[in-house]
Short mmCIF file of all heavy atoms in Angstrom, two decimals:
data_model
loop_
_atom_site.label_atom_id
_atom_site.label_comp_id
_atom_site.label_asym_id
_atom_site.label_seq_id
_atom_site.Cartn_x
_atom_site.Cartn_y
_atom_site.Cartn_z
N PHE A 20 89.67 -11.60 -22.72
CA PHE A 20 88.57 -11.86 -21.73
C PHE A 20 88.26 -10.54 -21.04
O PHE A 20 89.06 -9.63 -20.99
CB PHE A 20 89.10 -12.74 -20.66
CG PHE A 20 89.56 -14.16 -21.21
CD1 PHE A 20 90.79 -14.46 -21.76
CD2 PHE A 20 88.56 -15.14 -21.21
CE1 PHE A 20 91.16 -15.74 -22.16
CE2 PHE A 20 88.93 -16.55 -21.74
CZ PHE A 20 90.18 -16.75 -22.19
N THR A 21 86.95 -10.43 -20.52
CA THR A 21 86.58 -9.37 -19.75
C THR A 21 86.19 -9.92 -18.24
O THR A 21 85.90 -11.12 -18.23
CB THR A 21 85.47 -8.53 -20.33
OG1 THR A 21 84.30 -9.54 -20.36
CG2 THR A 21 85.67 -8.04 -21.61
N ALA A 22 86.26 -8.97 -17.42
CA ALA A 22 85.90 -9.39 -16.05
C ALA A 22 85.06 -8.25 -15.41
O ALA A 22 85.75 -7.15 -15.25
CB ALA A 22 87.18 -9.76 -15.23
N MET A 23 83.78 -8.40 -15.00
CA MET A 23 83.10 -7.40 -14.48
C MET A 23 82.04 -8.05 -13.63
O MET A 23 81.27 -8.91 -14.07
CB MET A 23 82.44 -6.49 -15.66
CG MET A 23 81.69 -5.28 -15.19
SD MET A 23 81.27 -4.04 -16.66
CE MET A 23 82.94 -3.68 -17.04
N ASP A 24 81.92 -7.53 -12.46
CA ASP A 24 80.81 -7.87 -11.45
C ASP A 24 80.88 -9.48 -11.24
O ASP A 24 79.80 -10.16 -11.24
CB ASP A 24 79.44 -7.42 -11.89
CG ASP A 24 79.16 -5.99 -11.57
OD1 ASP A 24 79.94 -5.48 -10.66
OD2 ASP A 24 78.22 -5.46 -12.02
N GLY A 25 82.07 -10.05 -11.30
CA GLY A 25 82.30 -11.55 -11.02
C GLY A 25 82.19 -12.30 -12.30
O GLY A 25 82.39 -13.57 -12.18
N ILE A 26 81.74 -11.82 -13.45
CA ILE A 26 81.57 -12.50 -14.70
C ILE A 26 82.64 -12.33 -15.63
O ILE A 26 82.88 -11.15 -16.06
CB ILE A 26 80.20 -12.33 -15.35
CG1 ILE A 26 79.08 -12.52 -14.35
CG2 ILE A 26 80.10 -13.03 -16.56
CD1 ILE A 26 77.64 -12.28 -14.89
N MET A 27 83.29 -13.27 -16.02
CA MET A 27 84.27 -13.35 -17.14
C MET A 27 83.60 -13.67 -18.35
O MET A 27 82.80 -14.63 -18.41
CB MET A 27 85.54 -14.17 -16.81
CG MET A 27 86.40 -13.80 -15.68
SD MET A 27 87.90 -14.92 -15.47
CE MET A 27 88.69 -14.67 -16.92
N GLU A 28 84.02 -12.97 -19.43
CA GLU A 28 83.58 -13.19 -20.79
C GLU A 28 84.71 -13.64 -21.71
O GLU A 28 85.67 -12.90 -21.64
CB GLU A 28 82.69 -12.07 -21.45
CG GLU A 28 81.43 -11.79 -20.69
CD GLU A 28 80.33 -12.73 -20.95
OE1 GLU A 28 80.57 -13.68 -21.80
OE2 GLU A 28 79.24 -12.59 -20.41
N TYR A 29 84.54 -14.64 -22.53
CA TYR A 29 85.56 -15.10 -23.52
C TYR A 29 85.23 -14.28 -24.82
O TYR A 29 84.22 -14.71 -25.45
CB TYR A 29 85.45 -16.59 -23.69
CG TYR A 29 86.28 -17.25 -24.69
CD1 TYR A 29 87.67 -16.98 -24.87
CD2 TYR A 29 85.61 -18.29 -25.38
CE1 TYR A 29 88.45 -17.61 -25.87
CE2 TYR A 29 86.54 -19.01 -26.43
CZ TYR A 29 87.90 -18.60 -26.50
OH TYR A 29 88.59 -19.30 -27.38
N HIS A 30 85.91 -13.26 -25.04
CA HIS A 30 85.39 -12.30 -26.02
C HIS A 30 85.89 -12.63 -27.46
O HIS A 30 85.23 -13.02 -28.29
CB HIS A 30 85.88 -10.91 -25.71
CG HIS A 30 85.33 -9.82 -26.55
ND1 HIS A 30 83.93 -9.74 -26.98
CD2 HIS A 30 85.94 -8.74 -27.23
CE1 HIS A 30 83.83 -8.81 -27.80
NE2 HIS A 30 85.00 -8.20 -27.93
N LEU A 31 87.19 -12.57 -27.61
CA LEU A 31 87.79 -12.85 -28.97
C LEU A 31 89.10 -13.79 -28.79
O LEU A 31 89.70 -13.65 -27.77
CB LEU A 31 88.28 -11.53 -29.60
CG LEU A 31 87.12 -10.46 -29.99
CD1 LEU A 31 87.84 -9.24 -30.58
CD2 LEU A 31 86.16 -11.09 -30.83
N SER A 32 89.22 -14.59 -29.76
CA SER A 32 90.29 -15.71 -29.65
C SER A 32 90.98 -15.87 -31.00
O SER A 32 90.49 -15.87 -32.07
CB SER A 32 89.73 -17.00 -29.09
OG SER A 32 90.75 -17.87 -28.89
N ALA A 33 92.35 -16.26 -30.91
CA ALA A 33 93.15 -16.42 -32.15
C ALA A 33 94.22 -17.33 -31.79
O ALA A 33 94.72 -17.52 -30.72
CB ALA A 33 93.52 -15.15 -32.68
N ASN A 34 94.89 -17.99 -32.90
CA ASN A 34 96.02 -18.82 -32.80
C ASN A 34 96.86 -18.61 -34.05
O ASN A 34 96.35 -18.38 -35.10
CB ASN A 34 95.74 -20.22 -32.29
CG ASN A 34 94.96 -20.94 -33.43
OD1 ASN A 34 95.48 -21.32 -34.45
ND2 ASN A 34 93.68 -21.20 -33.09
N ASP A 35 98.20 -18.96 -33.80
CA ASP A 35 99.06 -19.04 -34.99
C ASP A 35 98.90 -20.36 -35.82
O ASP A 35 98.96 -21.39 -35.11
CB ASP A 35 100.47 -19.02 -34.53
CG ASP A 35 101.53 -18.96 -35.50
OD1 ASP A 35 101.34 -19.31 -36.71
OD2 ASP A 35 102.69 -18.63 -35.23
N PRO A 36 98.53 -20.16 -37.06
CA PRO A 36 98.23 -21.41 -37.87
C PRO A 36 99.32 -22.43 -37.81
O PRO A 36 99.06 -23.72 -37.87
CB PRO A 36 98.03 -20.84 -39.32
CG PRO A 36 97.73 -19.36 -39.08
CD PRO A 36 98.46 -18.90 -37.88
N GLN A 37 100.55 -22.06 -37.50
CA GLN A 37 101.75 -22.99 -37.55
C GLN A 37 101.41 -23.97 -36.24
O GLN A 37 102.15 -25.13 -36.25
CB GLN A 37 103.04 -22.35 -37.48
CG GLN A 37 103.40 -21.53 -38.74
CD GLN A 37 104.68 -20.84 -38.63
OE1 GLN A 37 105.56 -21.39 -38.05
NE2 GLN A 37 104.80 -19.71 -39.11
N PHE A 38 100.77 -23.52 -35.34
CA PHE A 38 100.70 -24.35 -34.13
C PHE A 38 99.38 -24.92 -33.81
O PHE A 38 99.05 -25.37 -32.72
CB PHE A 38 101.15 -23.53 -32.83
CG PHE A 38 102.52 -23.15 -32.86
CD1 PHE A 38 103.18 -21.97 -33.48
CD2 PHE A 38 103.54 -23.91 -32.11
CE1 PHE A 38 104.46 -21.80 -33.48
CE2 PHE A 38 104.94 -23.78 -32.15
CZ PHE A 38 105.32 -22.59 -32.84
N GLN A 39 98.49 -24.68 -34.87
CA GLN A 39 97.09 -25.09 -34.71
C GLN A 39 96.88 -26.63 -34.20
O GLN A 39 95.97 -26.95 -33.50
CB GLN A 39 96.28 -24.74 -35.87
CG GLN A 39 94.81 -25.00 -35.81
CD GLN A 39 94.09 -24.60 -37.05
OE1 GLN A 39 94.70 -24.15 -38.01
NE2 GLN A 39 92.71 -24.85 -37.02
N ARG A 40 97.66 -27.38 -34.90
CA ARG A 40 97.57 -28.88 -34.54
C ARG A 40 97.77 -29.13 -33.07
O ARG A 40 97.28 -30.27 -32.57
CB ARG A 40 98.54 -29.63 -35.37
CG ARG A 40 99.98 -29.35 -35.04
CD ARG A 40 100.98 -30.09 -36.00
NE ARG A 40 102.35 -29.89 -35.68
CZ ARG A 40 103.02 -30.38 -34.64
NH1 ARG A 40 102.37 -31.33 -33.91
NH2 ARG A 40 104.22 -30.09 -34.41
N LEU A 41 98.48 -28.29 -32.22
CA LEU A 41 98.68 -28.51 -30.90
C LEU A 41 97.59 -28.09 -30.09
O LEU A 41 97.61 -28.31 -28.83
CB LEU A 41 99.99 -27.91 -30.52
CG LEU A 41 101.25 -28.59 -31.02
CD1 LEU A 41 102.42 -27.70 -30.56
CD2 LEU A 41 101.43 -30.02 -30.63
N ALA A 42 96.62 -27.25 -30.64
CA ALA A 42 95.52 -26.72 -29.94
C ALA A 42 95.83 -25.98 -28.74
O ALA A 42 95.29 -26.10 -27.70
CB ALA A 42 94.53 -27.96 -29.52
N PRO A 43 96.59 -24.81 -28.89
CA PRO A 43 97.00 -23.97 -27.90
C PRO A 43 95.90 -23.21 -27.29
O PRO A 43 95.94 -22.71 -26.18
CB PRO A 43 97.95 -23.07 -28.51
CG PRO A 43 97.67 -23.10 -29.97
CD PRO A 43 97.24 -24.42 -30.27
N THR A 44 94.78 -23.10 -28.02
CA THR A 44 93.66 -22.24 -27.32
C THR A 44 93.07 -23.03 -26.18
O THR A 44 92.48 -22.37 -25.28
CB THR A 44 92.47 -22.18 -28.50
OG1 THR A 44 93.11 -21.51 -29.55
CG2 THR A 44 91.28 -21.41 -27.92
N LYS A 45 93.28 -24.26 -26.04
CA LYS A 45 92.74 -24.98 -24.91
C LYS A 45 93.58 -24.63 -23.68
O LYS A 45 92.96 -24.54 -22.59
CB LYS A 45 92.89 -26.50 -25.26
CG LYS A 45 91.84 -27.01 -26.16
CD LYS A 45 91.99 -28.57 -26.58
CE LYS A 45 91.01 -28.94 -27.61
NZ LYS A 45 91.18 -30.33 -28.07
N LEU A 46 94.78 -24.40 -23.82
CA LEU A 46 95.76 -24.03 -22.75
C LEU A 46 95.27 -22.46 -22.49
O LEU A 46 95.40 -22.20 -21.20
CB LEU A 46 97.15 -24.09 -23.07
CG LEU A 46 98.07 -23.71 -22.02
CD1 LEU A 46 97.97 -24.69 -20.84
CD2 LEU A 46 99.59 -23.91 -22.43
N THR A 47 95.00 -21.71 -23.30
CA THR A 47 94.48 -20.47 -23.19
C THR A 47 93.28 -20.33 -22.21
O THR A 47 93.23 -19.61 -21.12
CB THR A 47 94.15 -19.68 -24.39
OG1 THR A 47 95.09 -19.85 -25.38
CG2 THR A 47 93.85 -18.18 -24.22
N ILE A 48 92.22 -21.06 -22.47
CA ILE A 48 91.09 -21.04 -21.73
C ILE A 48 91.33 -21.68 -20.28
O ILE A 48 90.96 -21.19 -19.33
CB ILE A 48 90.00 -21.82 -22.31
CG1 ILE A 48 89.48 -21.11 -23.71
CG2 ILE A 48 88.78 -21.96 -21.51
CD1 ILE A 48 88.50 -21.83 -24.43
N HIS A 49 92.16 -22.71 -20.19
CA HIS A 49 92.38 -23.36 -19.02
C HIS A 49 93.23 -22.34 -18.12
O HIS A 49 92.92 -22.32 -16.90
CB HIS A 49 93.31 -24.60 -19.27
CG HIS A 49 93.90 -25.27 -17.97
ND1 HIS A 49 92.99 -25.81 -16.99
CD2 HIS A 49 95.22 -25.39 -17.46
CE1 HIS A 49 93.83 -26.19 -16.05
NE2 HIS A 49 95.04 -25.94 -16.34
N CYS A 50 94.19 -21.68 -18.53
CA CYS A 50 94.90 -20.75 -17.81
C CYS A 50 94.06 -19.55 -17.42
O CYS A 50 94.22 -19.09 -16.22
CB CYS A 50 96.21 -20.22 -18.40
SG CYS A 50 97.44 -21.67 -18.66
N ALA A 51 93.27 -19.10 -18.36
CA ALA A 51 92.48 -18.00 -17.93
C ALA A 51 91.32 -18.29 -16.84
O ALA A 51 91.12 -17.47 -15.94
CB ALA A 51 91.62 -17.45 -19.25
N ARG A 52 90.82 -19.52 -16.90
CA ARG A 52 89.88 -19.92 -15.82
C ARG A 52 90.50 -19.96 -14.50
O ARG A 52 89.92 -19.67 -13.49
CB ARG A 52 89.11 -21.26 -16.22
CG ARG A 52 89.97 -22.56 -16.31
CD ARG A 52 89.13 -23.66 -16.71
NE ARG A 52 90.00 -24.91 -16.94
CZ ARG A 52 89.40 -25.98 -17.23
NH1 ARG A 52 88.23 -26.08 -17.52
NH2 ARG A 52 90.27 -27.02 -17.35
N LEU A 53 91.80 -20.53 -14.45
CA LEU A 53 92.55 -20.59 -13.04
C LEU A 53 92.77 -19.18 -12.63
O LEU A 53 92.77 -18.90 -11.37
CB LEU A 53 93.76 -21.41 -13.27
CG LEU A 53 93.53 -22.93 -13.71
CD1 LEU A 53 94.86 -23.63 -13.74
CD2 LEU A 53 92.66 -23.60 -12.63
#
């Protein structure tokens, strides 16, 4: 993520294929927004 002048950008994302079924990226975005 980037943060500049109040704006955060979701730039690049990835996950371990072994855990894809648990959708960990959703927790990534949730924690980043908080």
Side-chain angles (χ1 to χ4, degrees):
F20 296 87
T21 61
M23 190 168 288
D24 282 344
I26 297 175
M27 290 181 67
E28 295 283 356
Y29 178 43
H30 186 47
L31 300 175
S32 180
N34 61 71
D35 184 340
Q37 296 182 35
F38 292 85
Q39 187 179 356
R40 63 181 180 82
L41 293 175
T44 299
K45 293 177 182 177
L46 184 57
T47 307
I48 295 175
H49 173 64
C50 292
R52 65 184 177 179
L53 296 183

